[in-house]
Amino acid sequence: YETLQAFETEFEQILTNAATKEQEQRYGKIYFKKPSLIRWETTRPESELLLVGQDVVWDYFAEEEIAYKYPVDKVLSSRTMIRFISGQANLKEDFVIENQGLDQGLIKLKLIPKNPEPNLVLAYIWVDQKNFLLKKVLLVDFFGNGNEVRLTNLKLNPVSENSLFQFHPPEGVQVQDNTQE
């Protein structure tokens, strides 16, 4: 991750409710460009665009015609999936790491946060044993809910314009600005 300048990948996200065992699956594409530009496009079952730009984060729901605007530092400072996908999570400083061995040909690491937060009390990552690139992440919150993301069709260092990481709300979209909080 330290040597990568950019990547794009398809993803499958599985959200598991610990209480009901219900699962929701989402599919789409993730684009990343250093230092911390991210475009996370969910295409199914519903369209959502999460865009981490240089100055702000946008979360846009086209069907609801609403966009939420957040400060970048707030999003990147919390322990979320975005930090893992973008390589911002500091494994050695933030976690006790346990090597779980091989799991379906991937190295599985158990990550126990040194300072747990309600949205992250345990994590697992699976990396390719040849190039050590991330293939799967599972984050578990205080309630035992799971957020798993599986990455496929990874393209390293694709050429992507900075405009891919910019968002301008379409006409008529309600914007909820959370950057002043």
Side-chain angles (χ1 to χ4, degrees), residues 90-178:
N90 189 325
L91 301 186
K92 290 180 181 177
E93 285 185 23
D94 297 338
F95 299 93
V96 174
I97 304 169
E98 293 179 8
N99 188 333
Q100 304 278 290
L102 290 180
D103 179 15
Q104 298 179 5
L106 300 173
I107 299 168
K108 181 180 178 184
L109 300 174
K110 181 179 182 179
L111 307 175
I112 304 163
K114 292 180 180 176
N115 297 304
E117 296 176 359
N119 62 349
L120 181 62
V121 297
L122 183 63
Y124 293 90
I125 60 172
W126 289 258
V127 295
D128 186 290
Q129 56 182 325
K130 293 182 182 84
N131 58 21
F132 301 104
L133 291 174
L134 193 61
K135 293 293 187 178
K136 185 164 72 168
V137 179
L138 171 61
L139 304 182
V140 180
D141 71 13
F142 175 78
F143 301 102
N145 299 314
N147 181 356
E148 180 178 328
V149 173
R150 299 173 185 174
L151 307 175
T152 56
N153 299 322
L154 182 67
K155 294 178 185 168
L156 304 179
N157 297 316
V159 176
S160 52
E161 298 297 321
N162 282 349
S163 61
L164 184 66
F165 304 97
Q166 296 171 356
F167 177 74
H168 304 285
E171 181 97 17
V173 168
Q174 178 187 349
V175 174
Q176 185 170 344
D177 190 339
N178 299 297

